[in-house]
């Protein structure tokens, strides 16, 4: 995962996918087109911005390269125009969210390793990049973020980020291992929803 | 807008104005004097701090220069003592908020251009600086931020930030163009409230 | 307070203590074990991460050194397993929170002074470090943060941070003055709760 070009494309696709999730939430909350744009940009860019700040890579890629903003705004427009179509496809939306989670987990951990971080912080940063955009999106509309409400959400990101680190340590091909890691996140996340996996609650809690 | 002194004074005035809005919200929520100070400081400083972090300008001006903190705390004190007077003047409060929005949009975009950012990121950073303090203020008391609830809020900031970039590209006088840009933000925002401009919602949404 | 080793240990202990408070909140909200881990990590690491970003110390200590993450995850596990015991000890929990507040206020101000910040910004950064983790913790579950709801919370942190600065200015022994400052924060906070100190509200507010 030393190939920065791979990180860029994973990042850009993740931005688009999460920005659509932001637009859909904004439409559901009855926000106007500016609110839709704000929530799309926040959901799409926040995770990567936080990652870049924590890496000391200022200004963040989301500001240095206008393609990120363009991706988020295109997603906002797509959500504005086609929300009814997207809404009817509830399975695809969950898939998109899982895909975004995988893309950002892999891009986040990969970029952290490229910046010379150790394994544990790099994996943590991958998870943070993956869940960050969704956290900001949900907090902006005063909802408890999905990462706290859903079973096996941060865990799926953790699996992918750990695979990125292992693949790098084993000197696997970056493109192949990135693809496999994204697929693993999507698989874990989708299986957990479809099969209704439940994580343990604290013994004796409500 | 290459004159850093102009950015400083726009910034400081914006800090004071937004900090008053934080103090007013805190009083309305029945918070004590420490809560008022916290919300004032958050509302007044958060936008500029986020901007400086994203520009890689650490430590942010709000920490490097004690006048920012002093402005925010003075605003907290003013809100604590005179909230009844300020509350009665509901139009002036909306005006103050619009003024803060304009000041921060112009200061944010101007500082980003001074740091060598491209047009699109600089304008985005201006909008983010302008709406950032209000977002943190509203999220701290678990409200959906004004930028998502109000029509033509981020848009007004966008107009001002775009004007700053255009004026710089055309080599206009910095002071004159800053003043005109702030005035444009205030005008767009105030007109949108007074005339009840509504932005389109997504077709078919509730 | 020039001894970075003291800052490290204060920091690590504060991380553990605040992470337990995050775990307890997560258990009370019925979150699963991943939610507990997320809220523990957020509560334990957020304050120090914000402080390091504002100091321009990227990557933050919480990422550069895996012991921070280990402390937060151990606290999550302790909260998961022993929440019933901890819950019964309501006084100890409040004491732990006060202790975390003191540890972070002192570590935050001390690190800011080590980085050459002036007195006012260093004290502000100490307060921000101390209250930051709790703010993120409470906002993640859509609650108004404790720093806004409780009397004499930010003030206790302010007392400790100010003592750190004064002790440094007077060239007191770092270890001794750090201990005294933490003790002062705990004392002010605990006394305010036990004696029911009330801070003034704005005259004429509800």
């Amino acid at each position: 995962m030393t190939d920065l070009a791979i990180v860029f494309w994973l990042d850009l696709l993740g931005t688009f996918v999460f920005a659509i999730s932001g637009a859909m939430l904004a439409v559901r909350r009855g926000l106007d087109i500016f609110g839709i744009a704000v929530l799309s940009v926040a959901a799409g860019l926040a995770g990567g911005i936080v990652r870049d700040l924590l890496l000391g890579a200022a200004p963040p890629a989301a500001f240095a390269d206008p393609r990120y903003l363009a991706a988020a705004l295109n997603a906002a427009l797509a959500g504005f125009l086609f929300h009814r179509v997207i809404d009817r496809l509830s399975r695809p939306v969950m898939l998109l969210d899982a895909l975004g989670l995988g893309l950002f987990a892999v891009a986040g951990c990969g970029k952290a390793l490229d910046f010379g971080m150790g394994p544990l912080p790099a994996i943590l940063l991958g998870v943070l990049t993956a869940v960050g955009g969704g956290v900001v999106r949900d907090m902006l509309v005063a909802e408890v973020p999905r990462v706290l409400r859903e079973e096996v959400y941060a865990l799926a990101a953790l699996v992918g980020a750990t695979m990125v680190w292992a693949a790098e340590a084993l000197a696997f091909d970056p493109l192949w291992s990135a693809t496999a890691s994204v697929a693993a996140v999507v698989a874990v996340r989708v299986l957990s929803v479809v099969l209704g996996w439940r994580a343990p609650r604290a013994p004796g809690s409500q």
Side-chain angles (χ1 to χ4, degrees), chain A residues 118-130:
Chain A
L120 204 59
I123 290 169
L124 178 62
L125 209 51
V127 174
L128 194 61
T129 310

Side-chain angles (χ1 to χ4, degrees), chain A residues 65-163:
Chain A
D65 186 330
R67 286 176 288 185
Y68 287 94
L69 184 58
L73 291 176
N74 276 314
L77 192 64
F80 181 77
L81 294 175
F82 307 122
H83 68 99
R84 273 177 298 193
V85 180
I86 304 174
D87 226 14
R88 222 167 296 146
L89 318 163
S90 82
R91 276 285 152 83
V93 171
M94 194 269 287
L95 265 173
L96 278 178
D97 188 84
L99 184 61
L101 194 73
L103 290 163
F104 272 148
V106 172
C109 182
K111 187 160 184 177
L113 291 170
D114 288 337
F115 271 69
M117 278 205 160
L120 204 59
I123 290 169
L124 178 62
L125 209 51
V127 174
L128 194 61
T129 310
V131 306
V135 166
V136 171
R137 175 197 64 203
D138 295 345
M139 285 174 72
L140 280 172
V141 293
E143 278 184 9
V144 175
R146 177 173 288 215
V147 66
L148 290 179
R149 283 180 291 133
E150 304 236 351
E151 326 268 328
V152 190
Y153 194 82
L155 181 69
L158 183 64
V159 168
T162 309
M163 283 178 65

